[in-house]
Amino acid sequence: MELFDKTSFTIIAGPCSVYSWNQIDKTAHALKKLGVKFLRGGAYKMRTSPSSWQGIGEKGWHYLYEVAKKHDMKTVSEVTSVEHINTICSLIDVILVGTRNMQNYPLLKKLGEVEKPVILKRGMASTIEEWIEAAKYITNSGNKNIILCERGIRTFETYTRNTLDVSAIDAVKRLSNYQVIGDPSHATGKKEMVRPMAWALAAAGADGLMIECEINPNKKNCDYRQTIDVSEFELILQQLPKITDIWGKKY
Ligand code: PEP
Ligand code: MN
C-alpha cells in the first residue's frame, strides 16, 4: 500500500491510546465524517515511568482492526518490540516507531522485512542526520515505504512538552527522498497549541499530520492535556486547504 502520493496531504488522527471499543468506534465514526482516512491509537505504550499506565496491549489492535473495517478506514499503531511484529502486521495497516525506539536498530532492521508502511518518529534527542540514518536501517533491509514524523525535540524550554522543530520538515526534504509528516500533539503537549502548530507544519511543506483527537477526551486518559476534541479538529481542517494549496497538495 502506498501511504502518500505527492499531491495529497494525509491526516492521521485518533486517541493517544486505545481504551475501549466504544471510545474507538465513536471517534472513528466522527473522524470518518470529516474525511479522515487513517485512524491512530496506541495499544502497547512506551511510557517514561514504569508506574504509568502501559496500554491494553494486543486487544487494542483487535479493536482498531474491527472498527476500521466497520468505518472503512486504515489504521496506524506503534510497535514497541520485535516480538510483536507478526501480530501487528496481521492487524494494523501502518506501523509506527515511537521516539523512544528511533535508535532500536534490531527493531528497525526487522521492520525492513515487512510489507507495511513504517512511520519513523524522530528521537527526542536526535539530530536530523541521525534520524535519516536510522530510517536507512529500515530501507536497507528492503522496505522502501518509510515516512518520517517530526514530533518535537528536547531543549531547555519547559513551557511546551517538547520543542517543535518546524525546520526539520524542510531539512528532511533537502537531505532525503523520505516523506515527512508532523505531530503537533506530542510536540507541544498542549491542546490549545495543536491548531497553530498543525498549520505551521503544513506551511513548512509537511506531507501530512498526525494528531491526537478523541470524541470526548477523558481527563483520566493518557496525554489528555494535548488531546483535542472533534470540533477543534474540524477547525484545523477547515482552514488547512488554504495552506496545503501553497504546496500543490490536496486534503
Ligand atoms: C505516539 O505517537 O503514540 C507516541 C507515543 O509518540 P512519541 O513516540 O512521539 O512520544
Ligand atoms: Mn500520546
Side-chain angles (χ1 to χ4, degrees), residues 2-16:
E2 271 296 314
L3 183 54
F4 299 160
D5 67 65
K6 295 242 178 300
T7 59
S8 57
F9 189 84
T10 302
I11 309 273
I12 301 163
C16 177

Side-chain angles (χ1 to χ4, degrees), residues 18-38:
V18 179
Y19 285 85
S20 68
W21 168 272
N22 219 13
Q23 170 218 22
I24 293 299
D25 186 41
K26 289 209 166 76
T27 298
H29 178 73
L31 293 175
K32 173 76 187 191
K33 274 209 290 200
L34 296 176
V36 175
K37 298 187 188 81
F38 291 90

